[in-house]
Amino acid sequence: MDIRTLFEDRVRNSLISFGLDFSSRANVGAAVSGGADSIAMLTALVHVLPENITLKVITVNHNIREASETEGDALFVQDYCRKLGVQCARHDIPRGKVESLAEEKDSGTEDAARRLRYESFETFIRCSNLDFLCLAHNYNDQLETVLMRFLSGGDCSALSGIPPVRDKFVRPILSLTRAEVEEYLSVQGIAYRTDSTNFDTSYARNCIRSRIMPMLNKEVPGWQTAVGALSKKMREDSLALEDATDEALDRIAWSESEGEVSFDRYFFSILSDALRRRILYRAISAVGSDSRFPYSVVESVSRKSKNPSRWSEEAAGLTIFCRDARIFVQKQKKTATENGFFVIIEESGEYLAGDWKVKVAVQGNKTVLLAKRADVKASLVLDDLGFPFAFRSRQPGDKIRAADGSFKTVSKVFEDWKCAECKDEIPLVQELRSPGQHLVCVWGSALGFKDWIVRD
């Protein structure tokens, strides 16, 4: 069988395995950069897809190389699509945006470019009503990914490599090698572009591709088959662990809300080490952490879960703490903002929040707060508040419950009190134990107004 027939048969079979019905109407997309992999994939898709399936292309210009090079790639893709009769959408990321995002997220340029690229893909999928978007990762990419994650200490999820299918993203040439890709293009005389950054070994992937893999080819015969088998086994193990994690969530009384996840400490502590790690990483992802969370902190939390007393860990913009027999995973709250103040109070003691100094004590079911600021002193007693809670200034969209059960905006409360000039100085108390994390008090008496206290 010739290389063209072999290549296209495997692309067709991959699409069928992904669930594409060749006899029905469907919309299929292809992400094309102009490199050998994506040009080969696009060519094969044009050859194998029937007329009842619409093919659309997106090309993303990241603008992180010389303008002539990146512009040349985009124009090349657009021109090739015209020759094939395929609709092509082009998205240009503003120059400097990738670098700015990398600095903001404290990540590498590759990671930032990937984030922005996938944002473009998601928009393209939605706007084009796509059933699938094909990405051009090949078998060599798979091997590079597994090696890179192995060298960085990845778990079985990481070592499972690049998934053939994830949501609407599919990879129809993942089982084909780079040599097969290049031969497929060569026999048809099809040109492609080469990214100059592919030769920059300061990038981890390029270093693995140009230095480590050639060494393995020379010194470790059969390593590619072994790594491919490892990836398959790790994917199967990961899926089994994922199922076990889903089942464990009910046992630990998992609760999830915006910016917070909590679960029962004891039932979490008696799970296996592997399940505890999985649950913690799922919680970290659920609260929206963009940063890579340190494995050492995950291990520390896993160990501390056996300790029923209060403890806490902080890393990568998150706080993980144990209170009232539950473990909480939360985004860290800023202790101060430009126009206000914010502090989380986790136990009795003294706290600073902007210009306020707050002393907290508990007497039975009552929480006593004493607040000082310059020549202002105020006291407040709240029933059944409990730790942790926040002492803070107003934020946009704040609402507080009224006596009839309805909710009123804090801005309207301040408007009624006619305290426009000092509205950013009046303290609010917010409980943090429940998923809703509702406001329980607008402490107006601290500045000479009345208090708004929510009572059950």
Side-chain angles (χ1 to χ4, degrees):
M1 186 180 294
D2 65 273
I3 181 63
R4 174 175 169 175
T5 303
L6 175 66
F7 193 98
E8 293 176 359
D9 280 352
R10 287 167 70 178
V11 169
R12 181 185 292 104
N13 291 337
S14 292
L15 292 171
I16 292 171
S17 72
F18 300 152
L20 179 62
D21 183 353
F22 274 63
S23 65
S24 66
R25 291 192 174 277
N27 294 316
V28 173
V32 181
S33 66
D37 299 328
S38 61
I39 290 295
M41 181 187 72
L42 172 59
T43 304
L45 289 172
V46 170
H47 291 167
V48 305
L49 291 177
E51 291 184 358
N52 52 285
I53 295 179
T54 302
L55 178 61
K56 301 178 181 180
V57 166
I58 180 172
T59 188
V60 178
N61 177 4
H62 299 87
N63 271 315
I64 54 178
R65 291 173 284 138
E66 291 293 331
S68 59
E69 187 175 354
T70 58
E71 177 71 12
D73 290 348
L75 292 174
F76 177 84
V77 173
Q78 290 177 301
D79 183 59
Y80 190 57
C81 286
R82 277 192 293 271
K83 291 177 181 176
L84 295 175
V86 177
Q87 179 182 331
C88 178
R90 171 175 166 176
H91 177 67
D92 289 78
I93 296 172
R95 186 165 293 275
K97 188 171 182 179
V98 171
E99 293 83 355
S100 176
L101 181 64
E103 183 177 353
E104 176 189 335
K105 300 295 184 182
D106 191 24
S107 65
T109 302
E110 285 180 292
D111 182 66
R114 182 184 181 280
R115 289 172 185 264
L116 293 171
R117 179 168 65 252
Y118 274 82
E119 285 180 8
S120 300
F121 291 167
E122 294 281 4
T123 301
F124 183 61
I125 289 171
R126 185 173 61 254
C127 294
S128 301
N129 192 29
L130 297 182
D131 297 283
F132 296 109
L133 178 64
C134 298
L135 306 180
H137 297 95
N138 63 41
Y139 188 65
N140 292 67
D141 296 323
Q142 181 73 287
L143 296 176
E144 293 163 7
T145 298
V146 175
L147 284 175
M148 188 162 56
R149 292 176 179 176
F150 170 77
L151 294 172
S152 63
D155 62 7
C156 64
S157 295
L159 296 180
S160 65
I162 304 170
V165 181
R166 180 178 65 82
D167 300 326
K168 290 193 174 184
F169 296 104
V170 299
R171 298 174 170 89
I173 67 168
L174 192 59
S175 65
L176 291 153
T177 66
R178 186 167 287 122
E180 290 172 314
V181 166
E182 292 176 356
E183 186 181 359
Y184 174 76
L185 295 174
S186 177
V187 297
Q188 299 177 82
I190 298 173
Y192 56 88
R193 302 276 290 184
T194 300
D195 186 340
S196 61
T197 62
N198 287 346
F199 306 104
D200 184 352
T201 54
S202 64
Y203 293 104
R205 184 178 291 274
N206 291 346
C207 181
I208 288 171
R209 178 184 301 157
S210 62
R211 295 180 178 177
I212 296 177
M213 291 176 69
M215 182 274 292
L216 291 173
N217 290 337
K218 180 180 178 182
E219 303 293 342
V220 189
W223 75 270
Q224 294 178 333
T225 301
V227 171
L230 170 68
S231 173
K232 180 177 182 295
K233 288 183 284 188
M234 291 297 98
R235 188 175 301 116
E236 292 168 352
D237 288 353
S238 180
L239 289 173
L241 269 176
E242 198 71 14
D243 289 341
T245 302
D246 290 339
E247 293 174 3
L249 296 188
D250 284 339
R251 276 184 283 157
I252 65 173
W254 172 281
S255 174
E256 183 177 336
S257 61
E258 185 177 357
E260 177 187 276
V261 166
S262 71
F263 42 85
D264 183 90
R265 181 205 63 80
Y266 172 73
F267 288 105
F268 173 77
S269 73
I270 61 176
L271 296 173
S272 67
D273 291 346
L275 283 179
R276 289 202 301 271
R277 285 195 298 270
R278 280 272 173 158
I279 288 169
L280 285 171
Y281 278 121
R282 184 176 291 194
I284 290 164
S285 175
V287 299
S289 174
D290 291 327
S291 303
R292 293 183 178 180
F293 201 83
Y295 176 72
S296 59
V297 178
V298 170
E299 284 288 274
S300 176
V301 170
S302 184
R303 289 193 304 270
K304 285 183 175 180
S305 68
K306 299 181 183 297
N307 181 356
S309 62
R310 293 184 175 185
W311 50 261
S312 66
E313 291 276 1
E314 294 184 359
L318 298 183
T319 300
I320 305 178
F321 61 92
C322 180
R323 296 291 184 274
D324 301 322
R326 289 184 71 79
I327 292 174
F328 295 81
V329 180
Q330 294 180 345
K331 280 192 171 182
Q332 288 178 354
K333 309 294 192 304
K334 295 182 179 180
T335 56
T337 63
E338 183 178 352
N339 296 313
F341 48 90
F342 196 132
V343 66
I344 293 178
I345 296 174
E346 299 184 335
E347 56 188 6
S348 298
E350 292 188 353
Y351 297 81
L352 291 176
D355 294 331
W356 289 102
K357 183 175 182 180
V358 187
K359 186 175 182 179
V360 180
V362 175
Q363 299 174 0
N365 70 331
K366 298 183 183 297
T367 302
V368 181
L369 293 87
L370 302 174
K372 296 180 181 180
R373 195 195 69 171
D375 58 346
V376 174
K377 294 182 180 180
S379 64
L380 179 70
V381 178
L382 296 173
D383 295 334
D384 301 314
L385 175 57
F387 298 114
F389 64 90
F391 173 94
R392 65 174 178 83
S393 57
R394 73 181 186 98
Q395 295 176 356
D398 275 341
K399 293 182 179 181
I400 191 163
R401 186 157 56 88
D404 62 1
S406 64
F407 281 83
K408 188 171 185 176
T409 65
V410 171
S411 295
K412 186 66 171 71
V413 172
F414 289 156
E415 181 180 328
D416 293 343
W417 290 354
K418 296 180 172 55
C419 60
E421 292 183 1
C422 59
K423 61 185 178 182
D424 288 323
E425 302 172 21
I426 294 178
L428 278 60
V429 179
Q430 178 185 9
E431 61 86 17
L432 300 177
R433 291 191 299 169
S434 75
Q437 298 189 353
H438 299 296
L439 290 174
V440 296
C441 177
V442 179
W443 194 351
S445 62
L447 290 179
F449 300 92
K450 56 185 178 181
D451 293 329
W452 186 301
I453 299 176
V454 176
R455 304 187 191 280
D456 292 327

